[in-house]
C-alpha cells in the first residue's frame, strides 16, 4: 500500500521542492544573462576593424560578488604625489637642520639656491606637458624650501635680530613671493597646457568669475601666510591690547577684500575664513576693552575699535555677492555699533541704566528700514535690533520670575502678618536686584515696538502676542519696583486680572472665536490670579477677600460663551481655595473642612450640565475635571477620620450619580456605584468589622441581581459575564480567609454556599456557577482533609511518596490516549454549557 504522509509533512515536502526549483531557476537565469553578454561583446568586437580575439570570460559563481577596484587611478596618483612631496620636504628639513654644518658658506648658498630654483622652475615645465598634479606637488616642495631658505638666512646673516621681528618680515616676503609665483606661473603657462584644456563655456561665463590659475597652491598659501605679519610685528614691538586689536581688525579688513575679489574659489574661501576668524577675535577683544574700561576715555577707545569693525562689516555687506552674506555682515555691524555705544554709556551712566541705553540704541537701528540700503542690509540691521531687544528682555526675566514665584514661600507661613509693602511680601526670601529699577521701562519699550510692528502688519499675530505679554510683565513688576503699599499692590494685581479678561473678551469678539491674543490674555489672567492669591496669604482678611473676589470675577466671566472653558475651572479652583481658607478661619479640622469643599463638586456638576445643554463640550470636560480635583482634595482632607471619609465618599457618590443621569454620562454610574461601595466599606472599617463577607456579600448580591436582569433581557450573554464577577467577589476572599481561620463555622457556611451554587449551575446548565462552585467546594473539602492528610504523610516512610508518584506516572502513561479522550469529552461537555 502507498504510504501517504500526514498533511503537515506533505506540505513541508512540497515547500522544500518549490524552494529547490526556485534556486535552480535563479542559476539558469544568471547563466542565460552571462551568455547574452558574451554574445553581444563578441559581435561588438567583430564590428571594429582590427579587433583581436576576445579573451575567454568566465561567469561569476552564484552568490559571489564581482571583483571591483577600491581606488581610482587619479586617487592613487594623488596619494603617491602627496607622499613623495612629504618625504622630500622632510628630507630637506633634515638636511637643513642636521647636515648644514658640514658645508661652508658658499656650499650652503649654492645647494639651497640650486634646489629651490629647480623646485620652483620644474612646475612650469611639467605644466606644459600636461602633468598638473605632479606640478602641484613639486610647487609645494619649492614653497616649503623657501621657508627653509628664510630660516637658513636668519641663521647665517640675521642671527642677532629678534625672532618675532624677523618672522614678521619673512612671512610678509614669503606671502608676496608666493603670490607673485602663482601669478607668474599662470602667465608663463598657456591655459591649454595647464593639465586640463580650457572650456569655451567657462570662458563665456560672467565677467565676475575668475579662471582657475595654472597652480592652485601658491595663492591660497600666500593668503594664509599673510595673516601673521602684522600680528607678529605687533608682538615684536610689545604693542598694547588696543594695538593688537587694531591689527586683528586690519587683517580682517584685508581678508575681506580678498574674499570679495573675483578670484579663484580656494582663495576666496581662505580669505573668508581668515576674515571671520580675525574679525571675531578682534570684535571680542574690542568688546572686552570697551566694557571693562573704568574711565570714559578708555571706553571710547574700545568703542572706536568696535566702530572700525562695524565699518568693515558694512563694507563687506555692501559688496557681498550673496544676500545671505550681506545679511550676516550687516547683522554683525549693527551689533558692533550697539556694543560700542553701550560701552561708552556704561562708563557715563549708572549701572542700572546701561541696558536701557543699549535698548534705545537697538531701537534706533530700526530707522534703517527707511534708508535706501539694499534689502539684505536692511534685514540684517533689523535683525541686530531684534537681538538687542531680546537680550534686554532676557535681562528683565529674573525680576519677572521673582515677582511671580516669590509669593510661593508664603504657603509655608500663611497669615504671618501684614508686610511693610508689596515688595516685602513678594521678595521676603529673595534678594532684591539693584538693576530692577529700569526693568519696567525696558519691558514697556519693547512692548511698544512690537505693538507698532503689529499695527504695521509686520508678523501681526506674533507681534501682537509678544506686545501683550511684555506689557503685562511691565505692569506686574511695576508695583514691586515702586514699593507700593501691600493693599495697593493687591488692588493693582486684581486690576491686571480684570483688564486681561477684558482684553480676552474683546479679542474673542473681534475674531468671532478663540484666537492667539484671546488665549494669551486668558493665560495671563490665570497666572496673575494665582500670583495674587499667593500674595494674599500674608493676612487672613486679605486671603478671604481676594479668593472671594477672584471666584466671583471668574464666575461672572464664565457667563461669556467663549471664555467659560477657562474661566469656569478657574472660578471653581478659587472657590475650592476659599472653602479651605474659610474652614481654617473658622477653626475647623481638615476632615470637617472637606465637607465645605464638597460644595465645589456639586456646583461643578450643575455648571457642567448647563454647559452640556448649551452644546459646549470643551467647557463640560474642563468643569468636570475641576470638580473631580476638588472632590479628590476633599477625600485627602478627610482621610484621617474614617466616619467623615465615609460620608464624603457617599456625598461624592451622590454627585456622581446625579451626573450619570445625563445621557452622555451614563458610564459615570459605575463610578457612583464604586463610591457608594467604598463608603460602605469605610463605614464597616470605622465600626471595626473584620469579617470579609461583610464587605463582599453586598457587592455579590448587587452584581448577581444585575447579571440576572441582564440575562433575562439577553439570554445569549455568557454566564461568566453575568455571574462570574458577582460570585468571585465573595468566594475568593472567603477562601483566602478560610485557610487562616481555625474555626469550623466559616468552612461549613462556605462549603454549603458553594454546594448550592454548584447545584444551581448544574440545574441551569451554566458554566460559571458550576465551575466556581465546584472548585470552591473542592478546596473547602481539601482544607477539611488537610490535617488528616498531614497525619498520614507523617506516618508513611519517606520512600512512599516517590513510589506513589512513580505509580501514578506509570498509570497515566499506560492510559494516556484514553485520558486525552476523556479530557476532550469533559471540555466539550463544559463547552455546551452557558
Amino acid at each position: 500500500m502507498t504510504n501517504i504522509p500526514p498533511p503537515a509533512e506533505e506540505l513541508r515536502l512540497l515547500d522544500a521542492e518549490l524552494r529547490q526549483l526556485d534556486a535552480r531557476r535563479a542559476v539558469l537565469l544568471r547563466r542565460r544573462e552571462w551568455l547574452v553578454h558574451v554574445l553581444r561583446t563578441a559581435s561588438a568586437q567583430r564590428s571594429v576593424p582590427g579587433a583581436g580575439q576576445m579573451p575567454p570570460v568566465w561567469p561569476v559563481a552564484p552568490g559571489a560578488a564581482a571583483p571591483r577596484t577600491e581606488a581610482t587611478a587619479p586617487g592613487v596618483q594623488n596619494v603617491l604625489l602627496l607622499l613623495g612631496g612629504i618625504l622630500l620636504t622632510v628630507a630637506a628639513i633634515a638636511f637643513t637642520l642636521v647636515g648644514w654644518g658640514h658645508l661652508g658658506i658658499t656650499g650652503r648658498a649654492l645647494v639651497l639656491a640650486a634646489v629651490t630654483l629647480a623646485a620652483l622652475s620644474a612646475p612650469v615645465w611639467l605644466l606644459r606637458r600636461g602633468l598638473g598634479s605632479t606640478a602641484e606637488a613639486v610647487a609645494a616642495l619649492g614653497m616649503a624650501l623657501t621657508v627653509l631658505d628664510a630660516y637658513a638666512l636668519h641663521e647665517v646673516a640675521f642671527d642677532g635680530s629678534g625672532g618675532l621681528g624677523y618672522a614678521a618680515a619673512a612671512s610678509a616676503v614669503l606671502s608676496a613671493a608666493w603670490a607673485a609665483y602663482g601669478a607668474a606661473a599662470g602667465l608663463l603657462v598657456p591655459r591649454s597646457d595647464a593639465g586640463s584644456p580650457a572650456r569655451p563655456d567657462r570662458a563665456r561665463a560672467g565677467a565676475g568669475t575668475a579662471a582657475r590659475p595654472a597652480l592652485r597652491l601658491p595663492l591660497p598659501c600666500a593668503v594664509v601666510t599673510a595673516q601673521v605679519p602684522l600680528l607678529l610685528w605687533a608682538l615684536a614691538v610689545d604693542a598694547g591690547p588696543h594695538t593688537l586689536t587694531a591689527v586683528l581688525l586690519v587683517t580682517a579688513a584685508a581678508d575681506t577684500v580678498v574674499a570679495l575679489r573675483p578670484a579663484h574659489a580656494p582663495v576666496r574661501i581662505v580669505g573668508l575664513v581668515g576674515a571671520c576668524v580675525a574679525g571675531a577675535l578682534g570684535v571680542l577683544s574690542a568688546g572686552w576693552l570697551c566694557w571693562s574700561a573704568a574711565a570714559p576715555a578708555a571706553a571710547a577707545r574700545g568703542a572706536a575699535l568696535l566702530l572700525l569693525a562695524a565699518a568693515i562689516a558694512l563694507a563687506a555687506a555692501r559688496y557681498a555677492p550673496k544676500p545671505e552674506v550681506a545679511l550676516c555682515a550687516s547683522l554683525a555691524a549693527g551689533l558692533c555699533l550697539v556694543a560700542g555705544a553701550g560701552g561708552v554709556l556704561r562708563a557715563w551712566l549708572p549701572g542700572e541704566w546701561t541696558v536701557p541705553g543699549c535698548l534705545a540704541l537697538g531701537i534706533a537701528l530700526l530707522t534703517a528700514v527707511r534708508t535706501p540700503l539694499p534689502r539684505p542690509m536692511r534685514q540684517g540691521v533689523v535683525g541686530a535690533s531684534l537681538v538687542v531687544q531680546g537680550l534686554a528682555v532676557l535681562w528683565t526675566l529674573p525680576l519677572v520670575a521673582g515677582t511671580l514665584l516669590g509669593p510661593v514661600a508664603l504657603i509655608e507661613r500663611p497669615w504671618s502678618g501684614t508686610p511693610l509693602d508689596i515688595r516685602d511680601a513678594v521678595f521676603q526670601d529673595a534678594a532684591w536686584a539693584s538693576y530692577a529699577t529700569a526693568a519696567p521701562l525696558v519691558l514697556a519699550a519693547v512692548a511698544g515696538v512690537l505693538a507698532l510692528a503689529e499695527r504695521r502688519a509686520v508678523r501681526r499675530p506674533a507681534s501682537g502676542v509678544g506686545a501683550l505679554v511684555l506689557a503685562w510683565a511691565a505692569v506686574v513688576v511695576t508695583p514691586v519696583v515702586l514699593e507700593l503699599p501691600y493693599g495697593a499692590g493687591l488692588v493693582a494685581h486684581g486690576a491686571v486680572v480684570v483688564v486681561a479678561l477684558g482684553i480676552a473678551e474683546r479679542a474673542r469678539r473681534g475674531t468671532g472665536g478663540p484666537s492667539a491674543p484671546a488665549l494669551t490674555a486668558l493665560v495671563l489672567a490665570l497666572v496673575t490670579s494665582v500670583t495674587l492669591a499667593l500674595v494674599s496669604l500674608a493676612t487672613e482678611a486679605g486671603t478671604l477677600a481676594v479668593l472671594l473676589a477672584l471666584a466671583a470675577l471668574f464666575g461672572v466671566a464664565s457667563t461669556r460663551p467663549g471664555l467659560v472653558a477657562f474661566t469656569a475651572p478657574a472660578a471653581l479652583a478659587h472657590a475650592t481655595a476659599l472653602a479651605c481658607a474659610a474652614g481654617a478661619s473658622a477653626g475647623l479640622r481638615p476632615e470637617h473642612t472637606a465637607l465645605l469643599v464638597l460644595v465645589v463638586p456639586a456646583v461643578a456638576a450643575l455648571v457642567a450640565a448647563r454647559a452640556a445643554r448649551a452644546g459646549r463640550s470643551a467647557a463640560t470636560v474642563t468643569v468636570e475635571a475641576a470638580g473631580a480635583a476638588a472632590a479628590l482634595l476633599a477625600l485627602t482632607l478627610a482621610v484621617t477620620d474614617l466616619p467623615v471619609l465615609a460620608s464624603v465618599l457617599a456625598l461624592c457618590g451622590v454627585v456622581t450619580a446625579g451626573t450619570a443621569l445625563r445621557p452622555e454620562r451614563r458610564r459615570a454610574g459605575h463610578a457612583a456605584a464604586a463610591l457608594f461601595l467604598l463608603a460602605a466599606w469605610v463605614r464597616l472599617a470605622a465600626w471595626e468589622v473584620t469579617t470579609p463577607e461583610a464587605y463582599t456579600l453586598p457587592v455579590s448580591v448587587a452584581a448577581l441581581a444585575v447579571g440576572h436582569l441582564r440575562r433575562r433581557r439577553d439570554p445569549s450573554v455568557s454566564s461568566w459575564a453575568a455571574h462570574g464577577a458577582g460570585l468571585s467577589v465573595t468566594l475568593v476572599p472567603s477562601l483566602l480567609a478560610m485557610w487562616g481561620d481555625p474555626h469550623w463555622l466559616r468552612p461549613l457556611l462556605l462549603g454549603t454556599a458553594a454546594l448550592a451554587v454548584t447545584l444551581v449551575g448544574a440545574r441551569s446548565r451554566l458554566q460559571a456557577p458550576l465551575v466556581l462552585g465546584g472548585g470552591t467546594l473542592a478546596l473547602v473539602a481539601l482544607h477539611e482533609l488537610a490535617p488528616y492528610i498531614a497525619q498520614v504523610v507523617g506516618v508513611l516512610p519517606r520512600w512512599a511518596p516517590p513510589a506513589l508518584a512513580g505509580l501514578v506516572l506509570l498509570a497515566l502513561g499506560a492510559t494516556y490516549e484514553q485520558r486525552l479522550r476523556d479530557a476532550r469529552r469533559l471540555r466539550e461537555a463544559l463547552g455546551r454549557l452557558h
Side-chain angles (χ1 to χ4, degrees), residues 427-447:
F427 286 90
Q428 192 170 5
D429 292 340
W432 174 254
S434 59
Y435 63 84
T437 305
L441 181 61
V442 170
L443 293 169
V446 180

Side-chain angles (χ1 to χ4, degrees), residues 195-220:
S196 58
R199 292 175 52 180
D201 55 347
R202 291 186 179 178
R204 291 192 299 267
T209 303
R212 192 184 72 178
L215 291 175
R216 290 174 289 181
L217 284 178
L219 292 179

Side-chain angles (χ1 to χ4, degrees), residues 497 524-534 546 550 554 570 574:
V497 177
L524 296 179
L526 295 174
V527 172
T528 310
S529 67
V530 173
T531 302
L532 177 58
L534 292 174
V546 167
L550 290 175
F554 282 100
H574 290 301

Side-chain angles (χ1 to χ4, degrees), residues 327 331 335 366 377-389:
L327 190 149
L331 173 65
L335 293 177
L366 294 176
M377 293 184 66
R378 293 201 306 269
Q379 291 178 344
V381 175
V382 172
S385 175
L386 295 179
V387 170
V388 173
Q389 295 179 54

